Amino acid sequence: MLAALKASDRAGKHVADLSLVTVPGTVLKVEWKAIPDRDARTTPTRKQLPDTEITRSKKLEGAWWGDGGAYIVSSFSRETDNPGVSKVHDGQIWFYDPKRSTITLKLLFGKNPDPAVDGAFDGPDNVSVSPYGGVILAEDGEGIQHLVGATDSGRTFPVARNDFSDATKNVEFTGPVYSPDGKILFANIQEPGYMFAITGPWRSQE
């Protein structure tokens, strides 16, 4: 079976778009709605259910299973994406808990006012759980791009900065993942195809 997520708030009100949630820690109840024709023989799967039956997001990206659930990335949203429904953000990190049938907003990146200036993060893409607490994110936003750490409390910090500047190539970080012993963080740059092994030293986050 192929199913789509439907989220509702504590009052039972349907949440049409994940961007409407702007306070980290907000918990939504999850239902799963079956897609009538998962093979999309006549209609694309994303168009088979009405907006009243599912919860949308502009740009869902990375997902990673850990801590008994799934971390899910919504990379960005703009009001023009779904007028009257969507709100602006430059990244959300959600956690889906299958035992409780809930999805919780863990982290919110506000609109980056100047992507060319180092220090403000935007456009999270790939995600993995860190053995030292929190998650590691690969930025795929505007301007300067990083590997970003995010603690369970929502604090963010840079792990590495991408200094490649060839505008003709897709130079985003991809696929951050720790070795089984937790000593090495592997990450890639999509083009021209570099792989890095980052050896820390690492320490537990708050």
Side-chain angles (χ1 to χ4, degrees):
M1 183 180 77
L2 178 65
L5 181 143
K6 179 180 181 180
S8 57
D9 63 18
R10 289 186 176 181
K13 181 180 178 181
H14 174 56
V15 177
D17 194 288
L18 290 178
S19 70
L20 296 174
V21 180
T22 58
V23 179
T26 299
V27 180
L28 304 177
K29 187 69 176 176
V30 167
E31 301 175 66
W32 293 100
K33 298 293 182 176
I35 301 296
D37 174 19
R38 70 176 188 177
D39 295 324
R41 288 180 288 261
T42 59
T43 305
T45 55
R46 68 182 183 277
K47 295 182 178 180
Q48 291 181 29
L49 293 175
D51 290 345
T52 55
E53 287 296 308
I54 57 174
T55 299
R56 297 191 181 277
S57 180
K58 163 65 177 178
K59 194 167 183 281
L60 294 170
E61 288 278 4
W64 186 275
W65 188 269
D67 301 331
Y71 289 89
I72 302 165
V73 175
S74 176
S75 189
F76 71 89
S77 176
R78 299 291 181 264
E79 290 176 339
T80 54
D81 295 332
N82 193 0
V85 177
S86 296
K87 291 189 176 181
V88 172
H89 70 73
D90 265 340
Q92 292 175 318
I93 311 301
W94 292 86
F95 181 75
Y96 169 61
D97 186 332
K99 290 184 178 180
R100 293 181 174 84
S101 294
T102 59
I103 189 168
T104 302
L105 181 60
K106 290 290 190 178
L107 182 66
L108 176 73
F109 292 95
K111 181 70 172 66
N112 189 345
D114 190 352
V117 175
D118 201 351
F121 307 124
D122 60 23
D125 192 332
N126 297 166
V127 60
S128 66
V129 172
S130 167
Y132 301 93
V135 296
I136 299 293
L137 303 163
E139 264 192 303
D140 180 21
E142 300 292 333
I144 301 171
Q145 299 180 28
H146 304 80
L147 289 176
V148 179
T151 67
D152 292 334
S153 67
R155 182 175 64 88
T156 57
F157 56 92
V159 175
R161 187 178 74 181
N162 184 345
D163 280 340
F164 291 92
S165 60
D166 188 342
T168 67
K169 296 184 181 296
N170 191 345
V171 294
E172 67 185 88
F173 275 116
T174 63
V177 62
Y178 277 91
S179 58
D181 62 7
K183 293 182 178 180
I184 302 173
L185 173 62
F186 293 98
N188 313 292
I189 288 180
Q190 194 162 2
E191 292 185 48
Y194 294 130
M195 176 180 285
F196 300 98
I198 306 170
T199 56
W202 308 104
R203 60 181 177 83
S204 295
Q205 300 301 317
E206 57 188 0

